[in-house]
Amino acid sequence: MLSISRAARWIAACWSLQVLLSLCTADPCTNYTPDDTPNRSVQNNVTANSTLLCDLDLSLNWYRFTSVAGGDMPTVCPPLFSCGTHDPIWLNGAHPVVEDGEVNRTACVHQPDLAGSDCCGVQVHIRVRNCSGFYVYYLTSPPGCDMAYCAGSEAPCPAGTTSSNADFTPG
């Protein structure tokens, strides 16, 4: 009786491991959550009346930024109060090439400090993959609110103007 029970547990564990491995090996270039938030643009500066973006409740997942403002995280420190938030999060390092596959990267939170500001006051560990034409990012929630990931560099059109790019970067 003991051997049947042990065999059943082994089969159940093996099946669970196969399910887990299939989830872990899903291709992030086709299995991602799209984020179409144009307010994440480096050019989107918040004002006193702005509702700030907050990624505190972000689920651990692969994301692709798909808004008309652009889809790449900036690789230079954006100013405070940009990207639709108080403390913008940016990619500290280069985006990978396709041949690199999935790479570990550090994302930095630009925060105010006693000296003025610190471009990498808090570090968040993420993963990035180049999918031949776009990037996907394996993101974690930041440690506080009014912190949000930046994506894109297109500027919103000034009030009263439009463009063919869904009201971003007038031509």
Side-chain angles (χ1 to χ4, degrees):
M1 194 68 129
L2 183 60
S3 62
I4 293 174
S5 176
R6 187 177 287 165
R9 283 185 292 188
W10 184 85
I11 290 170
C14 186
W15 181 82
S16 297
L17 182 60
Q18 285 179 335
V19 169
L20 180 61
L21 287 175
S22 70
L23 291 174
C24 293
T25 59
D27 183 2
C29 291
T30 57
N31 294 295
Y32 56 80
T33 300
D35 185 312
D36 186 26
T37 310
N39 293 351
R40 293 185 182 279
S41 172
V42 172
Q43 300 297 324
N44 182 31
N45 300 311
V46 298
T47 64
N49 297 328
S50 298
T51 300
L52 300 178
L53 292 177
C54 173
D55 285 338
L56 189 60
D57 293 329
L58 197 69
S59 299
L60 186 65
N61 202 357
W62 285 99
Y63 291 88
R64 177 182 176 192
F65 298 112
T66 57
S67 86
V68 294
D72 299 354
M73 285 183 68
T75 56
V76 295
C77 182
L80 289 170
F81 300 102
S82 64
C83 305
T85 193
H86 185 273
D87 302 334
I89 305 173
W90 57 284
L91 181 64
N92 188 3
H95 281 91
V97 296
V98 173
E99 294 77 22
D100 291 338
E102 293 176 22
V103 298
N104 293 315
R105 289 291 187 263
T106 299
C108 290
V109 181
H110 186 183
Q111 291 187 302
D113 67 7
L114 296 176
S117 70
D118 183 349
C119 272
C120 205
V122 173
Q123 296 182 359
V124 180
H125 299 288
I126 66 170
R127 295 184 59 75
V128 184
R129 180 157 177 201
N130 183 327
C131 295
S132 286
F134 63 92
Y135 298 101
V136 290
Y137 305 89
Y138 192 74
L139 303 178
T140 62
S141 62
C145 210
D146 298 341
M147 297 177 184
Y149 290 94
C150 295
S153 59
E154 299 293 320
C157 290
T161 64
T162 60
S163 75
S164 61
N165 188 17
D167 296 335
F168 275 79
T169 310

